[in-house]
Structure formats: C-alpha cells, structure tokens
Amino acid sequence: MDQRNQMHRHIANTRKSLFDQGYLDEQFIQLEELQDNSNPNFVEEVVTLFYRDSARFLSNLDQALEKRPLDFNKLDSLMHQFKSSSTSIGAKKVKTECTHFRNYCNARNAEGCKRTFQNVKKEYTTLRKKLEAYFQMSRQVGPIETACRSR
Amino acid sequence: MTVEEIRNEIDRFPIGMRVLAVDDNPTCLKYLDALLRKCQYQVTTTNQAITALNMLRENRNRFDLVISDVYMPDMDGFKLLELVGLEMDLPVIMLSGNGDQNLVMKGITHGACDYLVKPVRLEELRNIWQHVIRRKVGPKSQSKSKHSREKPDQGNEGGDQNEKLNRKRKDEDDDEDNGNESDDPTTKKKPRVVWSIDLHRKFVAAINQLGIEKAVPKRILDLMNVDGLTRENVASHLQKYRLYLKRISHQANMVVAFGGNNDASSYMRMSPLDGLGDFRALSCSGRLQNATYAPTGMLGRLNSATGVALHGLTAPPLVLPNHTQTKIPPVVSSNHQNMNHFQGIPQSFDLDQLQYCNKPITQHTNSNPIEESRIFTGTNLADLNSIDETQMFRDPISVLANQTGAKLTSTGAESFKFLDQSDNQAPNFSSNLVPVGESYSYPAVINGGFSSSITTTANEPIEPYGGALVGDIVQNVNQSLSSQKGGPLSKQDYNQYSQTALTTLAGSALTSYGGLSGPVSHIRSNGGGSTLVQTEQTKLQNGFVSSNGYGSLDDIIPGMVKQEQDATTLMNGEFDYDPYIVRGRVYDDESS
C-alpha cells in the first residue's frame, strides 16, 4: 500500500515536472480530461499516434532539407503538419521550436532552418523519452489511478 | 412529421447530431473525434477531403454538420467548404492551427459558418450545434433569420439549449406573416434541396436571363419553374453562388498577378496581420502607406473628413496607393470573368483574358489606387441596422431603395467600396468578401472595375484601391499590401449592385476621384457586371476631387448606369461613401 502510494506520488511528481519544465502545456490536460471509462487509454493512444505521425513528418523534413536548393514552401508546409500534431498533444517545447523553424522558412534562411530543425528533433526526442517513461510508470501502478490533476 | 415528433427530435438535439470531421493529421483527427464524442455527437471521421466529399455526395442527409481542417494535402479546405456549401447546403466549420484574421475572413467568405483555431476546446464544440439550427431555421425564411439575429446570442452561452430552441420555435410559430413561402411554419424540417447540375444550370440560366442586377430569388424562382423549390432555397443558393463567383474572380486575378503561385503557402507567407495593421493605423491617421503621391494629406483628410461612417466599420477607409504598376488589378478581365460567370456556369478562368485585360490597366504606370478605388462612406449610409438583411438578400433593390433611395439621389453616392482585386493577393483576397451568414459585405473596389461592396456588418472589408475605401478590409488590405510586391492594392472584387444608381455613383465617384478631368478611359460593364473605370492616374495625384471629373462624370454616368444595369448583382449592405460629400469635405476646390 505504502509502496503504491509512493508510486502514485512519484508519477504525480513526474507529471508535474513535465508541465513545470515546459514540456507539456494545457492541451495535454485536455487530453487527460477526455480520458474516461469509455476511453480509458485515450491519452496514451493519442500520444502513440503522435509518435507515429511525427516519425513520418520528421523523416519528410529530413529529406526536404537535403534538397538543394531548399524549397521553403514545402518545408513550411511539412512543418505545419508536424506542428499541428505537436499542438494537439500539448508538446510545448516542440511547438516552440517548430515556430522558430517556420519563421526561418518565411525568412528564407537556410541555415536557420537547418539549425532549428535540429532543435526540433532534439526536443521531440526528449519529450518522447519522458512521456514513454511516464506512461510506463502509470501502467505499472494500474489503470485505476489516474494522474493527479493538481499541477 | 408531426409537430410533436419534430419537437422531440429537436429536444434531443444536439445530442446525436451527426458530424463529419475531416482532418488529414491523424493525431488532430483523433483528438477532434474524442472531443465530438464527448459532446455526444455522432461522429464520422475521415482524413481525406475527397472521401468526405464522396460521403456527402452519396447522401447529404447523412450529416448535419461538417468540420474540416483548412490545411489538407489532397484538397484545400476552403475548396471543400465551398463545394459542400454549394452542393449540399450543410453548415461547415473550419478548423486551423492558423488563426490569422485573413484566413478566418477567407473562411467566412467561402461560406464557413464558423472558424475554430486549433487546438480546439471542448467548450467550443459544445456550441457548434447552433449552426445546424440556424440553417434549418434560416432558409425557411430570410426574415426569420433576422429575428434570430435579434435574439440574444444563442450559442455562446452554452446555457439552456432547450430554452433557446423553444424560443426559436415560438418565434417561428409566431412569425407567420413574413411572406414565407413554405407550407407550414411549424414544420421545422425541410428536405434539403439538391442542387443538381441541371437545377444549377436552370438557376444560372435564370440569372442570365434576368440580368445580374435583377436576379432576385423570387424572379429566379419563377423563371426556374421547379416544383418544390422555395424562394429561400434559391436565395441561399444565390448567395453561395455569388461568393463563389467572387472568389473565382479573385483567384483569377491572383493567379494572373502572381503567375500562378496560388497555393496556400503564398498567403502563409504574407506579412502578418500586424504589419498590415499599420495600414489601419495609417488610414486612421490619414497617412498613406506606400503613398506614391502627394495627396497623402488629402487622403488623410479624406479618411477623416468623410468620417467613414460605416456602421461598425472598424477601419477607416483604406487608401492603398497602388505602387506596383504591374500589379494593376486586371479589373477588366475580372469583369470579363464575371460576365462569363453570369452567362454560364463558370468553370474556369480564362487567364489569358485576364492577362490581356491587364494590359490596358497597366498603362497607368502610376496606378493610383486611390483614384480607382474609392470607398464611399459617408453620411448617406444606409442604416445598417435597419436594413433587413434577409430582405436585402432577397430584394436588395427595394431595400436599398428604401434605405438610401433618397440619399442616393441626393448625394448620388452609395457606399461603394470597390475592391480591387488584384491577383497580388493571395487567396485571402476573397476574404474581403461578404461574410457568409448574417452580414453582407461587399467591398467595392474600383480600379478599372468595380465591385461594390456594401457591408451590413461591422466587418466591411473595403479595398481601397487607389481610393479611399471605407470598410474594414484592413486585414485584407494589409494582406494585399504586404503581399504585394510593389504594393498595389489590388483586389478587384466585383460585386455588382443591382441598383444601377449605386454603380453609377460608384463610377462617378471613381471617375471623379480618379481625376476625371482625364477621360474615363474605359468603362466597361460586363454582363457579369463589373464596370470598369479606368481613370488616369496622374489626375489622381493632383487630387481626388476634381470638378472636371465631376463634369465628365455626368457624361459618363448615364453610360455607366446603362452598363451597370447589366452588370450589377445584388447589393447587400449599405452604402457608405458619398463621393460627392467626400469631395466636398476633402477638397476645397470641389466646386468648379
């Protein structure tokens, strides 16, 4: 029992830190609120979908960034997709980097684009690791316990 | 269906409302799906616009509402929106990560009944049912929708939905003498009209036969002679059709100007609204951005003096100097296009024609948008509030006549906002256009052509093309400004006013402003309806109001009136600028 409580507390803290450190924003809470008995794994499902989409978008972006000269319109368009996904799950830092990227696209700044794209990938990878750990923890504790709402 | 059954169904509503959600992004779609289910709607999702369209075409009655993302790879969301609106008459809500005002405006002008910015919240979706109700109630009677509008905001309170429904129903029941052609006022449900190709052809034929200016729903209905078709059906189809035409002409212009770079990204690149916001500020302060000519002050005075008194206009007339000679909006061509449109089902633009048409315009190297586009907002504004918009839609001529008839004759000026739609603009151009729904704004830009714009709502986009335009086209203007390479404004939007007087005035206003001392180089009106007035640019520079112009206007007016007669379409909205008045105020040398 005690161990369980500890686990819960740990999960709650992990979750809280994700928000505090700016990895996630309010949108993630919206996802959590949509999770209920009829939809018990909603958040994780959406996030998993996000990983899948992201792999595709990032790969496309990688390819597009290889081309010479850079097709900024296409890059912007691809990034728009990725940013949409990120926004939907509340991936705050990732979203910010996406915005930087698009700004560089608009400015037709190739170096800027490439640089920020590395940041985008980095943030994405970091977030993904954290979320995977978080969900794994949650699963261990059991589905009954939902994350504590307090931040 | 008995009244009781209908009431029951409505009482359950919006639970079980059938929504079709379209978004190419799987994550977003999943989220949207969950939200909609949480609202207890019946949700169908697809990530392809084509699939959505097929589903809808297969059975329009399968859905109550469509929500679609704007940015989709297989089809532009706006296009889907338009097709759904035209073909199926279903309410469509746009969804986008981009909340730029110009995009929102574009959505509205394409017929969206709402525009949500991602990420969407549950509360927002809880209210979308109102759009369905509005549609059901609205088409029943145009005047009824007036009642709806007058009611307190129904959707956003999210309060007692039943109460609102009951109230709406009661009002409908009470309001039986509004000339509604439908059978039973208590029958809330009307089978949706399928606008098949044949029906649409009849519709277009009727319009051509009547002439744009006289193409009012009732007459169209009579000409079409189709059983079971009501005036309301025709009216709403007409509205969409007009939007469609407008948009097409914008697109054509844009394509011509931009050389075909017409995709979404082109407007994504446009300067942010903020940048354009300066325009508004400028216009407010009377300064002209990119003013190439001296009369900035005059314009400023123009702006202030005329006191763009548009109701609810948020932006003073924008005078957009038209720097880019090259970007002279192909008004002429647009007119041609309009003409084509009206004469048949416009399927495509003859870009060559547009290009061609562009030439004469480009002669004016210093195309001064001011001269060409004038926003005439003035004291002669029709009282927007008093205009029954639905009436306007149905029979704008009479409404407007009642409203502004006297004024018109006295001042001779209706509010013409002539939008000059040059292709410079990204697709957003169409955002200048009439917002679908309750307000009609027709920007009127005269720049070698005009479209009169009357807005009945606060959002009145006006594209000043070389002229003072009244209206809140700021966004559009801004956009056009920012996106324009050379800076010409340019949107030519041809909204034809069925009232010839209006067009006449507009034309005269244009010419007068355009420094009419020079001859109005070209006045042309298409069957489609836009009258082009190409005024000499240089004249403008000297001042907008020139008595010469006035004189010459007199000569021109009759011709223009005549031309306009063919060309005008419904006029919606109010007229705001009295060019004469403006002249009087702004230019001391008016009398001459």
Side-chain angles (χ1 to χ4, degrees), chain A residues 27 30-31 33-34 36 39 42 45-46 49-50 53 56-57 73 76-77 80-81 84-85 87-89 102 106 108, chain B residues 24-28 30-31 34-35 38 69 71 73 96-98 118-123 261 263 265-266 268-269:
Chain A
Q27 181 59 21
Q30 294 284 324
L31 294 183
E33 284 177 355
L34 284 172
D36 55 22
N39 216 345
F42 179 68
E45 283 169 13
V46 179
L49 204 49
F50 169 66
D53 290 347
R56 186 162 43 99
F57 295 141
N73 290 344
D76 187 70
S77 165
H80 173 92
Q81 301 278 35
S84 279
S85 294
T87 308
S88 289
I89 69 149
R102 293 185 78 191
N106 290 340
R108 302 289 190 265
Chain B
D24 66 302
N25 188 310
T27 312
C28 297
K30 186 172 174 73
Y31 173 58
L35 282 178
K38 194 86 173 179
D69 189 29
Y71 211 82
S96 174
N98 189 337
K118 292 188 203 175
V120 188
R121 289 189 322 275
L122 193 62
E123 306 82 65
N261 182 17
D263 59 350
S265 58
S266 66
M268 304 217 4
R269 268 198 312 261

Side-chain angles (χ1 to χ4, degrees), chain B residues 46-186:
Chain B
T46 173
N47 62 353
Q48 294 215 332
I50 310 268
T51 311
L53 208 51
N54 290 337
M55 276 198 273
L56 288 165
R57 282 181 174 149
E58 196 183 323
N59 183 3
R60 144 181 334 129
N61 290 321
R62 215 178 123 193
F63 301 104
D64 296 309
L65 178 80
V66 179
I67 297 187
S68 167
D69 189 29
V70 163
Y71 211 82
M72 293 189 287
D74 66 334
M75 185 190 289
D76 181 21
F78 292 115
K79 180 113 177 85
L80 175 68
L81 159 62
E82 204 165 57
L83 290 172
V84 172
L86 258 179
E87 292 182 27
M88 286 126 216
D89 192 24
L90 277 176
V92 182
I93 294 180
M94 301 309 289
L95 206 55
S96 174
N98 189 337
D100 253 13
Q101 272 183 304
N102 25 312
L103 280 187
V104 176
M105 184 65 88
K106 184 179 180 190
I108 292 173
T109 55
H110 277 71
C113 39
D114 208 347
Y115 192 107
L116 305 177
V117 181
K118 292 188 203 175
V120 188
R121 289 189 322 275
L122 193 62
E123 306 82 65
E124 291 177 294
L125 292 179
R126 284 208 193 277
N127 291 326
I128 60 178
W129 59 268
Q130 58 174 297
H131 300 297
V132 178
I133 293 288
R134 199 174 289 149
R135 257 219 195 191
K136 282 187 185 159
V137 173
K140 259 183 84 67
S141 153
Q142 296 287 349
S143 60
K144 275 187 178 159
S145 53
K146 181 184 176 198
H147 288 282
S148 314
R149 272 194 296 284
E150 287 170 353
K151 290 184 195 138
D153 184 12
Q154 298 185 6
N156 297 335
E157 296 151 18
D160 187 344
Q161 296 173 357
N162 276 346
E163 196 178 271
K164 287 178 189 142
L165 284 167
N166 290 341
R167 185 170 54 214
K168 215 175 172 84
R169 204 177 309 132
K170 188 155 85 78
D171 282 343
E172 278 199 28
D173 290 348
D174 293 343
D175 189 20
E176 293 190 14
D177 59 341
N178 54 15
N180 189 345
E181 288 174 3
S182 54
D183 306 329
D184 178 8
T186 62

Side-chain angles (χ1 to χ4, degrees), chain B residues 266-297:
Chain B
S266 66
Y267 63 79
M268 304 217 4
R269 268 198 312 261
M270 287 168 85
S271 342
L273 191 57
D274 290 346
L276 291 176
D278 291 336
F279 226 87
R280 188 192 294 213
L282 283 178
S283 51
C284 287
S285 63
R287 289 181 298 124
L288 275 181
Q289 203 171 7
N290 302 329
T292 50
Y293 40 79
T296 303

